[in-house]
Structures are given as structure tokens and as C-alpha cells.
Amino acid sequence: KPQLVASNDRFCRFLEEYCPVVTETYYPTIWCWEGRVQTLLRPFITSRPQVQYRNELIKTADGGQISLDWFDNNDSLYYPDASTRPTVLLLPGLTGTSKESYILHMIHQSETLGYRCVVFNNRGIAGEDLLTPRTYCAANTEDLEAVIHHVHSLHPSAPFMAAGVSMGGMLLLNYLGKTGRDTPLMAAAIFSAGWNVFESVESLEKPLNWLLFNYYLTTCLQSSISRHRQMLGKLFDMDLVMKARTVREFDKQFTSVMFGYRTIDDYYEDASPCRKLKSVGIPVLCLNSVDDVFSPGHAIPVETAKQNANVALVLTSCGGHIGFLEGIWPRKCTYMDRVFKQFVQAVFEHGNKIFSM
């Protein structure tokens, strides 16, 4: 059974009644028992539901643009009125977009419940051009704030929540820690977030993890900016950035410099959501596996979570990073998908029972 960490008895009872999956035994796929295997195989094993998006480009205050992919769900039987149709904002991982299988599954789950989804693609990675020499990072919440304001202004009467995966979850937590209760979001769901960036990069630099994940992730980061080389070359030595062989080296030469941090340690400290968890002011459910090499179990802020009545952690012993595969042949629904579906439905259909916490 997963470990449920929450100091608020009402929140616990709410989850047990309306999101019972968090108290049920999780049986990982028997031939995927190890976290790294779960992490590596999930993108290849899970199906990719068909989703038709409507793309929207919005302008930012600094002259840049953000690509949003909307799933309007105009055929919703439960919420035919678009003005009050519940809306879920989805934040993919570090180099992820609306095409990731885990995002497609979240939209598929939302579609069956009648909800609308919008995917926040970070600058420059969803095929759109960079209009300014700026991308994104886990600590800077300005773009997310702009997106949340934009979506809420379009549908001010619609119930509104968000779900973030991996770095998307870190960004969402950092935003919530900054805004407290001053947000149009009703609640949030966080999956496989890296809580302490120092511990995450140290784990990823262990020899086997570097071979399996770190080098590949670094090349993905480099690939995501290489298309914008002409624009970014105005501020950066791109040849030096392209020589990075670890995420830490990439962040030292590129990310921390872009966002004005004096050192990479300053950036990693600011990017770590564990520092802001006490300030979260709306109900948040966070799912992590303790065998996730991207977010090692010993770095999950269990004691800090117990100090905030708005926070609940669900910790599994297996599952890896955005893995959570279950069943003999886990093509369709993962444990993470089920947690997402039940929690989102619980918030939209019964949320009044926790908002008085």
C-alpha cells in the first residue's frame, strides 16, 4: 500500500472517500519491479490516445510567445455549457510537450469525465519560434502565471485546477508556494516532482544513472535549444553549451545564466519546491515513488508536508519516474493515471468538502 502523508484529517477522509486509489495496494507490473526499468519502459509500452488539439499562441510581457494546446471537449455530455466546463491545465516535464503519452492519457481520462484540458508548452519546444532569447526553467513562474491568468480570463466561471508532471510539477509547486491562496486554481495534482534539485542531480550523476538517463536528458535539452541557435547565440556561447555532458553542466552554462543567477547553486536552491511547500495555500496531492532516481526517496519533504494542512503526499515503494506501470501488459492505464482521474473528479465534483479546511 502507498504511504499517505497528510496532517489534515479532513483532507485524509476526503481522499479516502473520493480518491480511494491512494489507499489501495499498488501492484507494479511484475517484470517491471525496479524503478529504472519502469522509467525506461513506460514511454515505449503505454499507448498514445488520439487527441485533436486547437493551438493558441499567446504573447508575453517581454515580447515572447507561449504555445497552448487546447482540448475543448465540445462534445462533453456532462458539461455542455463551455462557460462552466471544468478546466484542467496540464504541465509536461522538462523537455515534454502536449504529445507526451502521459499527457495524452490525462486528457483521455478528462474527456471521459467531460472536462476541458489545456497543455502549457514551455517556450520554444513545441515547434513555435522564440521571439526573444529566453526559454524556461523550474524556478521562474512568470510564464505559468501569464497562462493561468489567460485561461481563467477566458472561462472565469469554469472550475479550474492544474496538474504538473516532473519539472512541470516542480514549476507548479514553486508557483503555488509563491502565490499561496491568491490563485484562481482550486487545487493541484503533482506527479514525480523533483523536490530537492541538489539531490536530484547528484542521483542522476551516479555512473549507471548517468548512462541511462543523464546523458540522454542533456542531449534532449541541447536539442530543444539548437533550433533557436541564431536567437540564443546573441547571449550565449552556444558551442560551450553544446559541449555539456550532464544536466548540471547545461544548467551551469545556460539555464542559471539565462535567468540571472549568480551561481548554479543559487538557481538550484530557488528551483527546489521543498523550500516553498509550507506556503502552498490550496489543496495539493503529490504522488512520488521512493525508487525514483530523478527524485530520490530520502529527499521527499515528508516532515515539511506534515506542517501544511493543504498538502497530501502519496508515496509508493515502486514506480520509478512517471512510471507506475501495473498489470501484466500495461498498455493503457497506469496507477498515476488512476490517481489523476480520481483526484480531479473528486475536486470538481466534491471539492466544497475540502475547501473549508
Side-chain angles (χ1 to χ4, degrees):
K1 283 192 174 184
Q3 179 187 0
L4 178 60
V5 178
S7 64
N8 188 323
D9 289 340
R10 185 181 295 177
F11 199 0
C12 272
R13 290 194 301 272
F14 175 83
L15 292 171
E16 289 166 358
E17 182 173 357
Y18 298 110
C19 190
V21 65
V22 302
T23 63
E24 296 169 2
T25 302
Y26 161 56
Y27 297 98
T29 297
I30 195 166
W31 47 274
C32 280
W33 69 92
E34 209 269 342
R36 284 172 288 217
V37 178
Q38 285 250 3
T39 305
L40 288 167
L41 291 183
R42 182 206 52 79
F44 301 103
I45 291 177
T46 52
S47 61
R48 305 181 68 83
Q50 289 294 314
V51 174
Q52 288 294 319
Y53 288 119
R54 171 177 62 84
N55 183 256
E56 180 187 19
L57 294 175
I58 65 170
K59 292 291 187 287
T60 60
D62 69 327
Q65 65 180 356
I66 301 169
S67 174
L68 301 179
D69 281 320
W70 290 83
F71 174 73
D72 295 302
N73 206 3
N74 288 325
D75 296 328
S76 172
L77 297 177
Y78 300 110
Y79 298 94
D81 183 355
S83 67
T84 55
R85 186 176 303 145
T87 303
V88 188
L89 175 65
L90 300 176
L91 287 71
L94 185 58
T95 57
T97 67
S98 58
K99 297 177 182 177
E100 304 304 320
S101 62
Y102 57 84
I103 293 292
L104 298 175
H105 276 273
M106 286 179 170
I107 291 175
H108 179 65
Q109 301 282 6
S110 302
E111 179 182 16
T112 62
L113 297 170
Y115 307 150
R116 169 174 47 224
C117 293
V118 55
V119 185
F120 166 35
N121 298 295
N122 285 301
R123 291 197 202 193
I125 62 169
E128 84 286 6
D129 292 329
L130 278 184
L131 303 183
T132 60
R134 168 178 164 160
T135 55
Y136 59 92
C137 76
N140 189 289
T141 62
E142 291 172 3
D143 283 359
L144 177 56
E145 290 169 39
V147 168
I148 289 173
H149 174 76
H150 174 73
V151 174
H152 181 60
S153 68
L154 291 176
H155 306 286
S157 301
F160 187 24
M161 66 175 293
V165 181
S166 190
M167 193 211 79
M170 296 165 66
L171 181 64
L172 183 53
L173 283 165
N174 286 331
Y175 160 80
L176 294 174
K178 177 181 175 181
T179 58
R181 289 185 178 273
D182 187 21
T183 173
L185 298 175
M186 300 169 62
I190 311 291
F191 301 99
S192 294
W195 288 97
N196 184 317
V197 183
F198 296 101
E199 298 290 347
S200 293
V201 293
E202 186 174 326
S203 173
L204 287 168
E205 285 169 359
K206 292 178 180 177
L208 182 57
N209 294 340
W210 179 86
L211 192 65
L212 293 175
F213 305 110
N214 201 328
Y215 181 70
Y216 172 73
L217 195 56
T218 305
T219 59
C220 287
L221 285 165
Q222 291 166 329
S223 177
S224 72
I225 65 172
S226 61
R227 190 170 67 84
H228 310 291
R229 192 169 183 135
Q230 187 173 358
M231 173 65 75
L232 296 170
K234 297 174 183 177
L235 295 182
F236 299 93
D237 181 346
M238 294 299 288
D239 290 334
L240 188 60
V241 174
M242 291 300 170
K243 288 178 182 174
R245 289 296 172 265
T246 65
V247 172
R248 190 195 298 262
E249 289 177 8
F250 180 89
D251 286 337
K252 183 178 181 180
Q253 299 296 343
F254 185 78
T255 316
S256 61
V257 178
M258 170 172 284
F259 287 94
Y261 291 96
R262 191 173 56 84
T263 67
I264 188 174
D265 285 356
D266 289 341
Y267 165 52
Y268 280 173
E269 186 173 347
D270 199 25
S272 298
C274 60
R275 297 176 62 249
K276 305 182 182 73
L277 193 59
K278 287 182 182 178
S279 304
V280 170
I282 62 171
V284 175
L285 181 67
C286 308
L287 174 66
N288 281 88
S289 172
V290 298
D291 68 352
D292 181 352
V293 299
F294 287 75
S295 185
H298 65 267
I300 298 172
V302 173
E303 294 307 313
T304 308
K306 290 177 181 177
Q307 298 171 33
N308 189 334
N310 293 300
V311 176
L313 304 181
V314 179
L315 308 177
T316 61
S317 56
C318 308
H321 187 69
I322 328 176
F324 302 102
L325 300 173
E326 57 185 356
I328 297 299
W329 185 239
R331 281 280 294 160
K332 292 187 178 176
C333 196
T334 68
Y335 178 76
M336 180 178 118
D337 296 330
R338 292 197 292 131
V339 172
F340 168 82
K341 183 178 183 180
Q342 287 190 17
F343 184 64
V344 169
Q345 185 174 24
V347 169
F348 285 146
E349 311 295 340
H350 308 285
N352 60 307
K353 296 201 169 114
I354 52 171
F355 296 137
S356 56
M357 291 193 304

